[in-house]
Protein backbone atom coordinates (compact mmCIF):
# COMPACT_ATOMS: atom_id res chain seq x y z
CA UNK A 1 0.00 0.00 0.00
CA UNK A 2 1.22 3.46 -0.83
CA UNK A 3 1.26 5.89 2.06
CA UNK A 4 2.20 8.87 -0.08
CA UNK A 5 1.30 9.26 -3.75
CA UNK A 6 2.49 12.29 -5.71
CA UNK A 7 1.56 12.83 -9.35
CA UNK A 8 2.89 15.58 -11.59
CA UNK A 9 3.29 18.22 -8.92
CA UNK A 10 4.44 21.67 -10.09
CA UNK A 11 5.28 24.65 -7.92
CA UNK A 12 6.77 28.02 -8.90
CA UNK A 13 7.52 31.20 -6.98
CA UNK A 14 7.10 33.94 -9.59
CA UNK A 15 9.84 33.21 -12.12
CA UNK A 16 11.57 30.55 -10.07
CA UNK A 17 10.53 26.96 -10.67
CA UNK A 18 10.80 25.10 -7.36
CA UNK A 19 9.24 21.79 -8.39
CA UNK A 20 8.82 20.54 -11.91
CA UNK A 21 6.58 17.56 -12.61
CA UNK A 22 7.34 15.56 -9.48
CA UNK A 23 5.92 12.03 -9.39
CA UNK A 24 6.69 9.30 -6.84
CA UNK A 25 5.10 7.12 -4.19
CA UNK A 26 6.15 5.96 -0.75
CA UNK A 27 5.29 2.50 0.55
CA UNK A 28 3.91 1.96 4.01
CA UNK A 29 6.62 1.37 6.56
CA UNK A 30 9.63 2.44 4.51
CA UNK A 31 12.27 5.11 5.01
CA UNK A 32 12.13 7.17 1.84
CA UNK A 33 14.91 9.73 1.43
CA UNK A 34 15.15 12.86 -0.70
CA UNK A 35 18.81 13.46 -1.39
CA UNK A 36 19.80 16.78 -2.92
CA UNK A 37 21.57 20.10 -2.36
CA UNK A 38 20.11 23.36 -1.04
CA UNK A 39 17.64 24.82 -3.50
CA UNK A 40 16.72 21.45 -5.03
CA UNK A 41 13.07 21.81 -3.96
CA UNK A 42 13.03 19.47 -0.96
CA UNK A 43 11.42 21.93 1.46
CA UNK A 44 8.72 23.03 -1.01
CA UNK A 45 7.78 19.42 -1.58
CA UNK A 46 7.61 18.63 2.14
CA UNK A 47 5.50 21.71 2.80
CA UNK A 48 3.04 20.63 0.12
CA UNK A 49 2.80 17.13 1.60
CA UNK A 50 2.13 18.41 5.12
CA UNK A 51 -0.51 20.80 3.70
CA UNK A 52 1.32 24.05 4.48
CA UNK A 53 1.76 25.01 0.84
CA UNK A 54 -0.51 24.63 -2.19
CA UNK A 55 0.88 23.10 -5.38
CA UNK A 56 0.28 25.02 -8.66
CA UNK A 57 -0.85 21.82 -10.33
CA UNK A 58 -0.74 18.06 -9.87
CA UNK A 59 -2.15 15.78 -7.23
CA UNK A 60 -0.84 14.41 -3.97
CA UNK A 61 -2.34 12.16 -1.34
CA UNK A 62 -1.13 11.15 2.11
CA UNK A 63 -2.81 8.08 3.64
CA UNK A 64 -5.27 8.29 0.76
CA UNK A 65 -6.27 11.85 1.68
CA UNK A 66 -5.90 14.78 -0.70
CA UNK A 67 -3.36 17.38 0.43
CA UNK A 68 -5.55 20.27 -0.71
CA UNK A 69 -9.09 19.14 0.17
CA UNK A 70 -8.44 16.99 3.22
CA UNK A 71 -5.78 19.11 4.88
CA UNK A 72 -7.42 19.07 8.30
CA UNK A 73 -7.46 15.28 8.46
CA UNK A 74 -3.89 15.00 7.17
CA UNK A 75 -2.58 17.35 9.82
CA UNK A 76 -3.79 14.99 12.52
CA UNK A 77 -2.08 12.00 10.97
CA UNK A 78 1.35 13.29 10.09
CA UNK A 79 4.31 14.40 12.14
CA UNK A 80 6.46 17.17 10.67
CA UNK A 81 9.91 18.30 11.64
CA UNK A 82 10.81 21.44 9.65
CA UNK A 83 14.37 22.20 8.60
CA UNK A 84 14.73 25.11 10.98
CA UNK A 85 14.42 24.40 14.68
CA UNK A 86 10.90 25.58 15.29
CA UNK A 87 10.10 24.73 18.87
CA UNK A 88 9.54 27.39 21.51
CA UNK A 89 12.99 28.42 22.69
CA UNK A 90 11.63 30.06 25.83
CA UNK A 91 9.69 27.01 26.95
CA UNK A 92 11.43 24.14 28.71
CA UNK A 93 11.90 20.73 27.14
CA UNK A 94 8.91 19.33 29.01
CA UNK A 95 6.72 22.38 28.31
CA UNK A 96 7.35 22.07 24.59
CA UNK A 97 6.39 18.43 24.59
CA UNK A 98 3.27 19.04 26.70
CA UNK A 99 2.28 21.87 24.37
CA UNK A 100 2.42 19.68 21.27
CA UNK A 101 0.61 16.83 23.05
CA UNK A 102 -2.16 19.21 24.12
CA UNK A 103 -2.62 20.64 20.62
CA UNK A 104 -3.29 17.13 19.38
CA UNK A 105 -5.59 16.36 22.35
CA UNK A 106 -3.32 13.79 23.88
CA UNK A 107 -0.90 13.58 26.79
CA UNK A 108 2.75 12.68 27.20
CA UNK A 109 1.71 9.67 29.31
CA UNK A 110 -0.63 8.28 26.65
CA UNK A 111 2.04 7.97 23.96
CA UNK A 112 5.13 7.84 26.13
CA UNK A 113 6.04 4.37 24.82
CA UNK A 114 6.49 5.84 21.33
CA UNK A 115 9.00 8.47 22.32
CA UNK A 116 10.58 6.68 25.29
CA UNK A 117 13.84 5.67 23.57
CA UNK A 118 14.41 9.19 22.25
CA UNK A 119 12.92 11.31 25.00
CA UNK A 120 14.61 9.43 27.84
CA UNK A 121 17.94 10.75 26.52
CA UNK A 122 16.88 14.36 27.07
CA UNK A 123 14.58 13.80 30.03
CA UNK A 124 17.35 14.61 32.55
CA UNK A 125 17.23 18.13 31.05
CA UNK A 126 13.45 18.46 31.00
CA UNK A 127 13.52 21.72 32.95
CA UNK A 128 16.04 23.35 30.64
CA UNK A 129 14.82 25.91 28.11
CA UNK A 130 14.81 24.50 24.58
CA UNK A 131 16.93 27.40 23.36
CA UNK A 132 19.75 26.33 25.67
CA UNK A 133 20.01 22.77 24.33
CA UNK A 134 22.88 21.50 22.14
CA UNK A 135 22.21 20.75 18.47
CA UNK A 136 21.84 17.02 19.00
CA UNK A 137 19.47 17.46 21.93
CA UNK A 138 17.30 20.00 20.07
CA UNK A 139 16.94 17.46 17.32
CA UNK A 140 15.82 14.76 19.76
CA UNK A 141 13.27 17.10 21.30
CA UNK A 142 11.93 18.11 17.87
CA UNK A 143 11.54 14.47 16.92
CA UNK A 144 9.76 13.72 20.21
CA UNK A 145 7.34 16.61 19.58
CA UNK A 146 6.68 15.38 16.03
CA UNK A 147 5.90 11.92 17.40
CA UNK A 148 3.82 12.66 20.47
CA UNK A 149 0.44 12.40 18.69
CA UNK A 150 1.30 8.97 17.24
CA UNK A 151 1.46 9.93 13.56
CA UNK A 152 1.24 7.37 10.76
CA UNK A 153 3.79 9.22 8.64
CA UNK A 154 6.76 11.35 9.65
CA UNK A 155 8.09 14.10 7.41
CA UNK A 156 11.57 15.13 8.47
CA UNK A 157 13.10 18.01 6.51
CA UNK A 158 16.90 17.93 6.81
CA UNK A 159 16.90 16.68 10.42
CA UNK A 160 20.67 16.07 10.42
CA UNK A 161 21.95 19.29 8.85
CA UNK A 162 24.57 21.03 10.97
CA UNK A 163 24.62 18.26 13.55
CA UNK A 164 27.88 16.50 14.33
CA UNK A 165 28.62 13.02 13.03
CA UNK A 166 27.95 11.24 16.33
CA UNK A 167 24.49 12.79 16.77
CA UNK A 168 23.71 12.06 13.14
CA UNK A 169 24.49 8.41 13.61
CA UNK A 170 22.31 8.22 16.72
CA UNK A 171 19.49 9.97 14.89
CA UNK A 172 19.48 7.45 12.06
CA UNK A 173 19.42 4.61 14.58
CA UNK A 174 16.27 6.17 16.07
CA UNK A 175 14.66 6.40 12.62
CA UNK A 176 15.35 2.71 12.02
CA UNK A 177 13.57 1.70 15.21
CA UNK A 178 10.58 3.96 14.40
CA UNK A 179 10.39 2.37 10.97
CA UNK A 180 10.46 -1.05 12.61
CA UNK A 181 7.55 0.09 14.78
CA UNK A 182 5.56 0.61 11.57
CA UNK A 183 5.87 4.35 11.03
CA UNK A 184 6.46 5.51 7.46
CA UNK A 185 9.28 8.04 7.25
CA UNK A 186 9.93 10.59 4.51
CA UNK A 187 13.23 12.34 5.17
CA UNK A 188 15.41 14.80 3.26
CA UNK A 189 19.14 15.39 3.49
CA UNK A 190 21.94 17.15 1.62
CA UNK A 191 24.41 14.51 2.90
CA UNK A 192 24.92 12.05 0.05
CA UNK A 193 26.36 9.45 2.40
CA UNK A 194 23.03 9.18 4.22
CA UNK A 195 21.40 7.67 1.11
CA UNK A 196 22.53 4.19 2.09
CA UNK A 197 20.57 4.48 5.36
CA UNK A 198 17.25 4.79 3.49
CA UNK A 199 15.18 1.93 2.04
CA UNK A 200 14.63 3.93 -1.16
CA UNK A 201 15.84 7.34 -2.25
CA UNK A 202 14.93 10.01 -4.77
CA UNK A 203 17.86 12.06 -6.02
CA UNK A 204 16.59 15.60 -6.54
CA UNK A 205 18.19 18.63 -8.18
CA UNK A 206 16.78 21.92 -9.55
CA UNK A 207 13.19 20.90 -8.82
CA UNK A 208 13.38 17.62 -10.73
CA UNK A 209 13.82 14.05 -9.61
CA UNK A 210 16.90 12.55 -11.27
CA UNK A 211 16.27 9.00 -10.14
CA UNK A 212 14.28 6.91 -7.64
CA UNK A 213 15.42 3.49 -6.46
CA UNK A 214 16.99 1.46 -3.69
CA UNK A 215 20.41 2.95 -2.94
CA UNK A 216 22.35 -0.18 -3.94
CA UNK A 217 20.43 -0.45 -7.21
CA UNK A 218 21.29 3.17 -8.03
CA UNK A 219 24.99 2.55 -7.54
CA UNK A 220 24.95 -0.79 -9.36
CA UNK A 221 23.30 0.81 -12.41
CA UNK A 222 26.07 3.43 -12.78
CA UNK A 223 27.23 1.66 -15.92
CA UNK A 224 30.83 2.81 -16.03
CA UNK A 225 34.08 1.68 -14.53
CA UNK A 226 35.69 4.05 -12.09
CA UNK A 227 39.33 4.33 -11.15
CA UNK A 228 40.32 5.94 -7.87
CA UNK A 229 43.66 7.64 -8.45
CA UNK A 230 45.98 9.46 -6.11
CA UNK A 231 49.41 11.03 -6.34
CA UNK A 232 51.49 13.33 -4.20
CA UNK A 233 50.01 16.37 -5.98
CA UNK A 234 46.21 16.25 -6.28
CA UNK A 235 45.93 19.66 -7.92
CA UNK A 236 48.31 18.69 -10.74
CA UNK A 237 46.68 15.27 -10.98
CA UNK A 238 43.26 16.83 -11.61
CA UNK A 239 44.64 19.10 -14.32
CA UNK A 240 46.64 16.36 -16.01
CA UNK A 241 43.74 13.91 -16.02
CA UNK A 242 41.28 16.43 -17.44
CA UNK A 243 43.78 17.06 -20.27
CA UNK A 244 44.01 13.33 -21.01
CA UNK A 245 42.22 12.69 -24.34
CA UNK A 246 40.26 9.63 -23.16
CA UNK A 247 39.01 11.39 -20.02
CA UNK A 248 35.23 11.46 -19.62
CA UNK A 249 35.00 12.81 -16.07
CA UNK A 250 37.43 13.50 -13.27
CA UNK A 251 36.32 14.61 -9.82
CA UNK A 252 38.20 14.97 -6.56
CA UNK A 253 36.99 12.63 -3.81
CA UNK A 254 38.93 13.48 -0.70
CA UNK A 255 42.50 12.29 -1.12
CA UNK A 256 41.62 10.45 -4.32
CA UNK A 257 40.36 11.45 -7.73
CA UNK A 258 37.58 9.49 -9.43
CA UNK A 259 38.13 8.99 -13.13
CA UNK A 260 35.90 7.62 -15.89
CA UNK A 261 36.85 7.21 -19.55
CA UNK A 262 35.00 7.99 -22.77
CA UNK A 263 33.14 4.92 -24.06
CA UNK A 264 34.31 3.27 -20.86
CA UNK A 265 37.71 2.53 -22.45
CA UNK A 266 39.76 2.40 -19.33
CA UNK A 267 43.35 1.27 -19.34
CA UNK A 268 45.12 1.38 -16.04
CA UNK A 269 48.50 0.71 -17.67
CA UNK A 270 48.21 3.57 -20.18
CA UNK A 271 47.10 5.98 -17.50
CA UNK A 272 49.96 4.94 -15.29
CA UNK A 273 52.41 5.55 -18.12
CA UNK A 274 50.88 8.94 -18.93
CA UNK A 275 50.91 10.14 -15.32
CA UNK A 276 54.37 8.80 -14.54
CA UNK A 277 55.75 10.61 -17.59
CA UNK A 278 54.27 13.83 -16.20
CA UNK A 279 56.26 13.36 -13.01
CA UNK A 280 53.57 12.09 -10.63
CA UNK A 281 54.94 10.34 -7.58
CA UNK A 282 53.43 7.88 -5.12
CA UNK A 283 50.93 7.04 -7.82
CA UNK A 284 48.11 4.71 -6.86
CA UNK A 285 45.40 3.54 -9.28
CA UNK A 286 42.60 1.25 -8.13
CA UNK A 287 39.31 0.19 -9.69
CA UNK A 288 36.43 0.95 -7.29
CA UNK A 289 32.68 0.60 -7.02
CA UNK A 290 30.70 3.82 -7.63
CA UNK A 291 29.03 5.54 -4.68
CA UNK A 292 25.87 7.64 -4.59
CA UNK A 293 27.81 10.84 -5.21
CA UNK A 294 29.35 9.43 -8.41
CA UNK A 295 25.84 8.55 -9.56
CA UNK A 296 24.41 11.92 -8.56
CA UNK A 297 27.04 13.81 -10.55
CA UNK A 298 26.67 11.61 -13.58
CA UNK A 299 22.87 12.09 -13.50
CA UNK A 300 23.35 15.85 -13.09
CA UNK A 301 25.52 15.92 -16.20
CA UNK A 302 22.95 13.90 -18.15
CA UNK A 303 20.17 16.26 -17.06
CA UNK A 304 21.94 19.45 -18.14
CA UNK B 1 54.28 21.00 0.13
CA UNK B 2 57.70 21.91 -1.13
CA UNK B 3 58.61 24.01 1.88
CA UNK B 4 57.91 23.28 5.51
CA UNK B 5 57.63 26.85 6.66
CA UNK B 6 55.37 27.09 9.70
CA UNK B 7 52.49 29.56 9.32
CA UNK B 8 50.60 28.74 12.49
CA UNK B 9 52.37 27.61 15.65
CA UNK B 10 50.48 26.74 18.81
CA UNK B 11 52.07 25.37 21.96
CA UNK B 12 50.49 24.49 25.29
CA UNK B 13 47.59 26.81 24.66
CA UNK B 14 44.88 27.04 27.33
CA UNK B 15 41.68 29.02 27.38
CA UNK B 16 39.57 28.94 30.52
CA UNK B 17 36.19 30.50 31.27
CA UNK B 18 35.95 30.43 35.06
CA UNK B 19 36.35 26.81 36.07
CA UNK B 20 35.60 25.56 32.54
CA UNK B 21 38.55 24.70 30.31
CA UNK B 22 37.50 25.27 26.69
CA UNK B 23 40.97 24.70 25.21
CA UNK B 24 43.09 22.25 27.14
CA UNK B 25 46.80 22.23 26.28
CA UNK B 26 46.62 22.60 22.48
CA UNK B 27 49.87 22.09 20.61
CA UNK B 28 50.13 21.94 16.82
CA UNK B 29 51.72 23.57 13.77
CA UNK B 30 50.26 24.33 10.36
CA UNK B 31 52.53 24.67 7.33
CA UNK B 32 52.57 27.05 4.39
CA UNK B 33 50.32 25.87 1.57
CA UNK B 34 48.74 23.18 3.71
CA UNK B 35 45.01 22.39 3.77
CA UNK B 36 44.39 21.80 7.46
CA UNK B 37 41.12 20.39 8.75
CA UNK B 38 39.96 21.38 12.22
CA UNK B 39 37.17 19.09 13.40
CA UNK B 40 35.30 18.45 16.58
CA UNK B 41 31.83 17.76 17.93
CA UNK B 42 29.49 20.60 18.92
CA UNK B 43 30.97 22.14 22.04
CA UNK B 44 34.43 20.57 21.71
CA UNK B 45 36.16 23.97 21.76
CA UNK B 46 36.74 24.66 18.06
CA UNK B 47 35.17 28.11 17.98
CA UNK B 48 37.14 29.21 21.05
CA UNK B 49 40.40 28.13 19.41
CA UNK B 50 39.59 29.76 16.08
CA UNK B 51 38.77 33.07 17.74
CA UNK B 52 42.24 33.02 19.28
CA UNK B 53 43.88 32.14 15.96
CA UNK B 54 42.06 35.03 14.26
CA UNK B 55 43.19 37.53 16.90
CA UNK B 56 39.69 38.00 18.32
CA UNK B 57 40.34 36.50 21.74
CA UNK B 58 43.39 36.04 23.95
CA UNK B 59 44.45 32.71 25.43
CA UNK B 60 44.63 32.19 29.21
CA UNK B 61 48.14 30.79 28.84
CA UNK B 62 50.43 29.19 26.29
CA UNK B 63 51.92 30.47 23.05
CA UNK B 64 50.60 30.94 19.54
CA UNK B 65 51.77 32.79 16.46
CA UNK B 66 49.87 33.37 13.24
CA UNK B 67 51.95 34.30 10.18
CA UNK B 68 54.72 35.12 12.65
CA UNK B 69 52.55 37.45 14.75
CA UNK B 70 51.85 36.94 18.42
CA UNK B 71 48.22 36.31 19.45
CA UNK B 72 48.66 38.37 22.66
CA UNK B 73 50.28 41.50 21.29
CA UNK B 74 49.94 41.64 17.49
CA UNK B 75 46.25 40.93 16.86
CA UNK B 76 45.84 43.75 14.32
CA UNK B 77 48.71 42.39 12.23
CA UNK B 78 47.09 38.95 12.45
CA UNK B 79 43.78 40.27 11.17
CA UNK B 80 45.56 41.77 8.14
CA UNK B 81 47.18 38.42 7.36
CA UNK B 82 44.05 36.29 7.24
CA UNK B 83 40.94 35.86 5.14
CA UNK B 84 37.61 34.32 6.22
CA UNK B 85 34.73 32.67 4.47
CA UNK B 86 31.72 30.78 5.74
CA UNK B 87 28.87 29.03 4.01
CA UNK B 88 26.39 30.84 6.22
CA UNK B 89 27.68 34.34 5.67
CA UNK B 90 29.78 35.34 2.74
CA UNK B 91 28.69 38.17 0.46
CA UNK B 92 26.16 41.01 0.58
CA UNK B 93 23.25 39.93 -1.61
CA UNK B 94 22.01 43.43 -2.35
CA UNK B 95 25.39 44.64 -3.55
CA UNK B 96 26.79 43.91 -6.98
CA UNK B 97 29.76 41.66 -7.65
CA UNK B 98 32.10 44.65 -8.08
CA UNK B 99 30.70 46.40 -5.00
CA UNK B 100 31.34 43.33 -2.87
CA UNK B 101 34.93 43.14 -4.04
CA UNK B 102 35.40 46.86 -3.32
CA UNK B 103 33.74 46.55 0.09
CA UNK B 104 35.79 43.59 1.29
CA UNK B 105 38.98 44.96 -0.28
CA UNK B 106 38.39 48.13 1.75
CA UNK B 107 37.76 46.16 4.94
CA UNK B 108 40.99 44.25 4.38
CA UNK B 109 42.81 47.60 4.10
CA UNK B 110 43.68 47.51 0.40
CA UNK B 111 44.32 50.76 -1.49
CA UNK B 112 41.83 51.92 -4.13
CA UNK B 113 44.38 51.27 -6.82
CA UNK B 114 45.01 47.71 -5.64
CA UNK B 115 41.29 47.04 -5.40
CA UNK B 116 40.83 48.21 -8.98
CA UNK B 117 43.61 45.99 -10.27
CA UNK B 118 42.44 43.00 -8.23
CA UNK B 119 38.82 43.41 -9.29
CA UNK B 120 39.85 43.11 -12.92
CA UNK B 121 42.08 40.12 -12.27
CA UNK B 122 39.44 38.36 -10.25
CA UNK B 123 36.63 38.90 -12.76
CA UNK B 124 38.87 37.70 -15.60
CA UNK B 125 39.89 34.61 -13.71
CA UNK B 126 36.32 33.64 -12.82
CA UNK B 127 34.94 34.59 -16.23
CA UNK B 128 32.56 37.04 -14.56
CA UNK B 129 33.44 40.19 -16.58
CA UNK B 130 29.87 40.53 -17.84
CA UNK B 131 28.44 40.07 -14.37
CA UNK B 132 30.38 42.78 -12.52
CA UNK B 133 27.23 44.89 -12.19
CA UNK B 134 24.91 42.03 -11.30
CA UNK B 135 23.54 41.73 -7.79
CA UNK B 136 24.85 38.77 -5.80
CA UNK B 137 21.33 37.46 -5.26
CA UNK B 138 20.93 37.07 -9.02
CA UNK B 139 23.96 34.80 -9.30
CA UNK B 140 23.65 31.00 -9.11
CA UNK B 141 24.77 29.51 -5.79
CA UNK B 142 27.87 27.94 -7.31
CA UNK B 143 29.12 31.26 -8.66
CA UNK B 144 28.47 33.01 -5.39
CA UNK B 145 30.59 30.49 -3.62
CA UNK B 146 33.51 30.74 -6.02
CA UNK B 147 33.33 34.51 -5.78
CA UNK B 148 33.15 34.40 -1.99
CA UNK B 149 36.32 32.35 -1.83
CA UNK B 150 38.12 34.62 -4.31
CA UNK B 151 37.13 37.63 -2.23
CA UNK B 152 38.31 35.95 0.98
CA UNK B 153 41.80 35.82 -0.55
CA UNK B 154 41.63 39.09 -2.53
CA UNK B 155 44.18 40.75 -0.22
CA UNK B 156 46.66 37.87 -0.62
CA UNK B 157 46.41 36.62 2.97
CA UNK B 158 48.86 34.07 4.33
CA UNK B 159 45.97 32.04 5.75
CA UNK B 160 42.32 31.68 4.84
CA UNK B 161 39.82 30.31 7.35
CA UNK B 162 36.89 28.40 5.85
CA UNK B 163 33.91 27.54 8.04
CA UNK B 164 31.87 24.66 6.57
CA UNK B 165 32.64 26.02 3.13
CA UNK B 166 30.67 23.57 0.99
CA UNK B 167 27.79 22.49 3.22
CA UNK B 168 24.58 21.94 1.28
CA UNK B 169 25.90 22.61 -2.24
CA UNK B 170 25.54 20.14 -5.07
CA UNK B 171 28.40 17.67 -5.56
CA UNK B 172 29.68 19.13 -8.83
CA UNK B 173 29.80 22.72 -7.55
CA UNK B 174 31.42 21.41 -4.43
CA UNK B 175 34.23 19.84 -6.43
CA UNK B 176 34.77 22.95 -8.50
CA UNK B 177 35.15 24.71 -5.20
CA UNK B 178 37.75 22.23 -3.94
CA UNK B 179 39.65 22.73 -7.20
CA UNK B 180 39.79 26.39 -6.34
CA UNK B 181 41.06 25.59 -2.85
CA UNK B 182 43.75 23.24 -4.21
CA UNK B 183 44.85 25.98 -6.57
CA UNK B 184 45.14 28.56 -3.80
CA UNK B 185 47.05 26.08 -1.63
CA UNK B 186 49.42 25.26 -4.47
CA UNK B 187 50.13 28.99 -4.73
CA UNK B 188 51.16 29.00 -1.08
CA UNK B 189 47.99 30.06 0.76
CA UNK B 190 47.41 28.07 3.94
CA UNK B 191 43.83 26.85 4.16
CA UNK B 192 42.29 26.23 7.58
CA UNK B 193 38.96 24.38 7.30
CA UNK B 194 36.45 23.77 10.07
CA UNK B 195 33.50 21.56 9.24
CA UNK B 196 30.85 19.10 10.39
CA UNK B 197 30.94 17.39 7.02
CA UNK B 198 33.35 14.53 7.45
CA UNK B 199 33.71 14.08 3.72
CA UNK B 200 35.14 17.61 3.54
CA UNK B 201 37.77 16.41 5.99
CA UNK B 202 38.89 13.81 3.47
CA UNK B 203 40.12 16.63 1.21
CA UNK B 204 42.50 18.03 3.80
CA UNK B 205 46.24 17.33 3.90
CA UNK B 206 46.06 16.86 7.66
CA UNK B 207 43.17 16.80 10.08
CA UNK B 208 42.94 17.46 13.81
CA UNK B 209 39.98 16.25 15.84
CA UNK B 210 39.07 17.99 19.08
CA UNK B 211 37.28 16.18 21.89
CA UNK B 212 36.42 17.94 25.17
CA UNK B 213 38.83 20.82 24.61
CA UNK B 214 41.83 18.68 23.69
CA UNK B 215 43.26 17.61 20.36
CA UNK B 216 42.53 13.91 20.43
CA UNK B 217 44.10 13.08 17.06
CA UNK B 218 46.12 14.85 14.37
CA UNK B 219 47.36 13.25 11.16
CA UNK B 220 46.64 12.76 7.47
CA UNK B 221 43.17 11.34 6.76
CA UNK B 222 44.85 8.20 5.43
CA UNK B 223 46.89 7.63 8.61
CA UNK B 224 43.92 8.40 10.85
CA UNK B 225 41.82 5.82 9.05
CA UNK B 226 44.62 3.26 9.42
CA UNK B 227 45.19 4.07 13.09
CA UNK B 228 41.52 3.75 13.99
CA UNK B 229 40.77 0.88 11.64
CA UNK B 230 38.06 2.94 9.94
CA UNK B 231 36.86 3.18 6.33
CA UNK B 232 36.05 6.86 6.41
CA UNK B 233 36.72 10.02 8.39
CA UNK B 234 33.15 9.71 9.59
CA UNK B 235 34.00 6.44 11.34
CA UNK B 236 37.22 7.90 12.75
CA UNK B 237 35.27 10.80 14.17
CA UNK B 238 32.58 8.60 15.69
CA UNK B 239 35.15 6.34 17.32
CA UNK B 240 37.02 9.28 18.82
CA UNK B 241 34.06 11.37 19.89
CA UNK B 242 32.22 8.43 21.39
CA UNK B 243 35.38 7.21 23.05
CA UNK B 244 34.85 3.75 21.54
CA UNK B 245 38.56 3.07 21.35
CA UNK B 246 39.41 3.93 24.93
Amino acid sequence: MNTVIVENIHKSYKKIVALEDITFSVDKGEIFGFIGPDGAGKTSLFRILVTLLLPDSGKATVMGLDVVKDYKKIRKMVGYMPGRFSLYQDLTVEENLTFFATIFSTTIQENYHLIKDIYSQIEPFKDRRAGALSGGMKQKLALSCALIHKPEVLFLDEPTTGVDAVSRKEFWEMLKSLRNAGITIVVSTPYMDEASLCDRVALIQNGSILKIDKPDLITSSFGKNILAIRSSNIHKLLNDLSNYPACDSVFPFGQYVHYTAKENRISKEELEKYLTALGHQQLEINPIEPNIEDCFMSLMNEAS
Amino acid sequence: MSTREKIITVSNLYKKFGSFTANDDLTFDVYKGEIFGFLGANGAGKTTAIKILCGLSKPTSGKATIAGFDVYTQTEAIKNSIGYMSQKFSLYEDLTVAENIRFFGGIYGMTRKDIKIKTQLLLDKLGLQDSAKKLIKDLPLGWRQKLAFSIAIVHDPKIVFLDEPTGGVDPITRRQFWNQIYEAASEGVTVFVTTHYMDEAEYCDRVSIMVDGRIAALDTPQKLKETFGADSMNDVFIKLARGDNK
Side-chain angles (χ1 to χ4, degrees), chain B residues 33 48-49 53 116 118 150 195 215 237 242-243:
Chain B
T48 304
L53 300 183
K116 217 172 163 185
K118 273 286 187 165
S150 301
T195 182
I215 290 182
F237 185 86
R242 271 189 178 170

Side-chain angles (χ1 to χ4, degrees), chain B residues 12-221:
Chain B
N12 308 110
L13 185 95
Y14 285 85
K15 177 74 181 185
K16 294 181 182 172
F17 299 101
S19 62
F20 177 71
T21 306
N23 289 160
D24 189 354
D25 200 14
L26 304 186
T27 297
F28 64 94
D29 297 320
V30 182
Y31 301 98
K32 182 174 158 66
E34 184 172 33
I35 303 174
F36 188 84
F38 199 62
L39 315 184
N42 298 325
K46 291 190 308 268
T47 307
T48 304
I50 290 160
K51 278 190 176 163
I52 294 171
L53 300 183
C54 292
L56 298 173
S57 161
K58 288 190 171 61
T60 307
S61 65
K63 274 174 93 173
T65 64
I66 311 302
F69 299 114
D70 185 86
V71 292
Y72 291 93
T73 56
Q74 295 174 297
T75 51
E76 285 313 306
I78 288 175
K79 287 174 200 166
N80 288 329
S81 313
I82 62 176
Y84 175 82
M85 175 197 163
S86 129
Q87 171 72 11
K88 285 172 209 131
F89 170 78
S90 46
L91 303 171
Y92 288 96
E93 298 207 334
D94 291 329
L95 296 183
T96 65
V97 170
E99 284 166 348
N100 266 286
I101 301 174
R102 203 164 78 216
F103 176 79
F104 283 101
I107 294 263
Y108 287 132
M110 293 167 67
T111 63
R112 281 188 185 197
K113 195 177 150 212
D114 280 350
I115 291 174
K116 217 172 163 185
I117 295 168
K118 273 286 187 165
T119 301
Q120 215 46 52
L121 275 174
L122 205 155
L123 293 176
D124 285 347
K125 196 172 173 188
L126 294 175
L128 278 175
Q129 298 94 332
D130 300 336
S131 304
K133 287 183 179 160
K134 271 196 190 156
L135 294 179
I136 295 298
K137 65 179 174 195
D138 294 330
L139 287 185
L141 200 64
W143 282 111
R144 279 190 223 182
Q145 202 178 23
K146 281 175 214 159
L147 184 64
F149 181 72
S150 301
I151 289 179
I153 56 172
V154 70
H155 55 304
D156 297 321
K158 293 274 184 14
I159 306 155
V160 61
F161 287 87
L162 306 178
D163 185 11
E164 297 196 356
T166 68
V169 304
D170 75 68
I172 291 185
T173 304
R174 179 179 220 192
R175 281 170 175 79
Q176 292 167 346
F177 185 73
W178 276 103
N179 272 337
Q180 221 184 345
I181 294 177
Y182 285 141
E183 194 181 338
S186 73
E187 286 163 6
V189 180
T190 301
V191 184
F192 195 96
V193 184
T194 56
T195 182
H196 273 318
Y197 290 79
M198 288 305 130
D199 50 351
E200 284 192 318
E202 309 253 2
Y203 290 83
C204 300
D205 294 317
R206 284 190 307 148
V207 168
S208 78
I209 300 179
M210 277 186 81
V211 179
D212 297 336
R214 292 175 306 106
I215 290 182
L218 199 176
D219 216 322
T220 64

Side-chain angles (χ1 to χ4, degrees), chain B residues 210-246:
Chain B
M210 277 186 81
V211 179
D212 297 336
R214 292 175 306 106
I215 290 182
L218 199 176
D219 216 322
T220 64
Q222 184 81 13
K223 286 262 175 59
L224 286 174
K225 283 185 262 185
E226 285 167 17
T227 307
F228 290 93
D231 291 336
S232 64
M233 282 305 295
N234 204 52
D235 293 343
V236 171
F237 185 86
I238 286 168
K239 284 194 173 177
L240 266 173
R242 271 189 178 170
D244 284 1
N245 66 314
K246 277 173 201 159

Side-chain angles (χ1 to χ4, degrees), chain A residues 3-4 26 45-46 49-50 62 74 78-82 146 153-157 184-188:
Chain A
T3 299
V4 179
V26 178
L45 180 61
F46 275 53
L49 293 176
V50 297
V62 175
I74 289 179
V78 303
Y80 174 46
M81 193 172 148
V153 196
L154 265 183
F155 290 93
L156 311 173
D157 192 7
T184 305
I185 298 170
V186 185
V187 56
S188 71

